[in-house]
Amino acid sequence: MNALVLLAAILFLLMVVIGGKKGARSFIALFLNFAVIFLTVFFMLNPYTNPIILTLVACTVISCINLFYINEVNIKTKTAFVSTVITIVLLLFFIVIVTENTMIQGFGEEEIEELSIFSLYIGVDFVKIGAAVIIMSTIGAITDVAISITSPMREIFHHHPDIGRKALFLSGLSIGRDILSTSANTLFFAFFGGYLALLIWFKDLAYSIGQVVNSKVFSAEMITIFSAGIGVALIIPITSWITAYYLVKTREADKPAE
């Protein structure tokens, strides 16, 4: 407990020193996001609730916290929020279909021994739970990419107020391409960092490459990474187009009538 408090204090101090008020809000946002996820899991235990709808609501709230609470309400956060919601809705249909067809829901055989003392009849739809987990895993990366595109696009528009919609859109795509590779690699290494022990266990069990790739635990995590990567790639053109459309439309609306 003392180690957790010490690390939290160090993190808070660094975020305040480097980020100022925004850093302090970012630190508080960590606990707000945790509270949203905790409440979402709590409500999912009710068999009469739909995990997909709960996840959409939770992702919307998390997006509001990460965008509006940390960065305040402005053009950048508004367009990033709209882009995030659209991407999540589009991605959700894809993830539900993938989850149903790949049958990655539930527990893998490597986890059965640890769960053997518990009852698996908990009255929830594991397909929807699996899709909800993937969506929750992607929301952070998608929101981060959205604000990372809208912010420089707003600066480009500010310094070049006469820029056209197509040129501004292409600028957003150019920015997104630089972000795409780093975001995809971040997701990839986050998986291997979190599941390094699992990979070592596969080695101790003398699993072949085929057994590793076809194991439910490994497949579920890889599908999560691919889905998050698809979401990151998808939000780049969506955010670029929405931001370019909104900024140019605002400029045209502000022009005095001749």
Side-chain angles (χ1 to χ4, degrees):
M1 183 64 182
N2 292 333
L4 294 177
V5 174
L6 178 61
L7 290 174
I10 294 173
L11 176 62
F12 176 74
L13 181 62
L14 290 174
M15 293 181 75
V16 171
V17 171
I18 297 174
K21 292 183 179 179
K22 185 174 290 187
R25 288 197 296 265
S26 299
F27 182 81
I28 297 173
L30 293 175
F31 296 93
L32 294 177
N33 289 330
F34 175 79
V36 172
I37 294 175
F38 179 83
L39 289 175
T40 303
V41 174
F42 177 79
F43 285 115
M44 280 183 182
L45 297 177
N46 188 335
Y48 299 103
T49 58
N50 190 324
I52 301 298
I53 296 178
L54 283 175
T55 302
L56 284 176
V57 173
C59 288
T60 303
V61 176
I62 290 173
S63 299
C64 290
I65 293 172
N66 293 338
L67 294 173
F68 299 133
Y69 175 70
I70 296 177
N71 298 289
E72 301 179 349
V73 179
N74 48 55
I75 292 178
K76 297 179 293 185
T77 53
K78 287 179 181 178
T79 52
F81 176 75
V82 173
S83 303
T84 300
V85 172
I86 293 175
T87 304
I88 287 294
V89 171
L90 293 176
L91 194 61
L92 179 61
F93 292 103
F94 171 77
I95 288 176
V96 170
I97 294 173
V98 170
T99 304
E100 290 179 348
N101 286 275
T102 56
M103 301 183 67
I104 59 172
Q105 69 276 4
F107 305 99
E109 59 181 11
E110 295 84 7
E111 302 168 303
I112 294 299
E113 183 177 350
E114 299 175 2
L115 299 171
S116 59
I117 61 175
F118 301 105
S119 173
L120 299 181
Y121 298 98
I122 59 177
V124 296
D125 190 334
F126 276 98
V127 175
K128 294 180 180 179
I129 293 294
V133 169
I134 296 176
I135 286 292
M136 282 289 189
S137 302
T138 62
I139 182 63
I142 289 175
T143 305
D144 181 61
V145 172
I147 193 65
S148 297
I149 293 176
T150 57
S151 183
M153 285 184 68
R154 175 65 184 84
E155 290 299 316
I156 293 173
F157 182 79
H158 176 73
H159 292 288
H160 303 279
D162 296 327
I163 189 172
R165 182 173 294 161
K166 182 178 180 180
L168 189 58
F169 171 72
L170 294 177
S171 298
L173 289 181
S174 179
I175 296 168
R177 292 190 188 100
D178 295 332
I179 300 173
L180 180 59
S181 59
T182 55
S183 298
N185 279 286
T186 299
L187 296 170
F188 179 77
F189 287 112
F191 161 73
F192 278 99
Y195 281 83
L196 184 60
L198 176 64
L199 299 177
I200 295 175
W201 192 18
F202 284 155
K203 178 65 172 61
D204 292 338
L205 294 174
Y207 273 22
S208 65
I209 298 297
Q211 288 175 308
V212 171
V213 173
N214 288 284
S215 65
K216 181 178 287 188
V217 178
F218 184 85
S219 298
E221 292 304 319
M222 291 304 298
I223 288 174
T224 301
I225 293 174
F226 291 146
S227 298
I230 291 171
V232 169
L234 189 62
I235 198 171
I236 291 174
I238 292 176
T239 304
S240 300
W241 187 86
I242 290 177
T243 304
Y245 177 82
Y246 184 80
L247 290 174
V248 174
K249 183 179 180 181
T250 302
R251 180 186 63 193
E252 293 175 351
D254 292 339
K255 284 184 178 180
E258 295 181 357

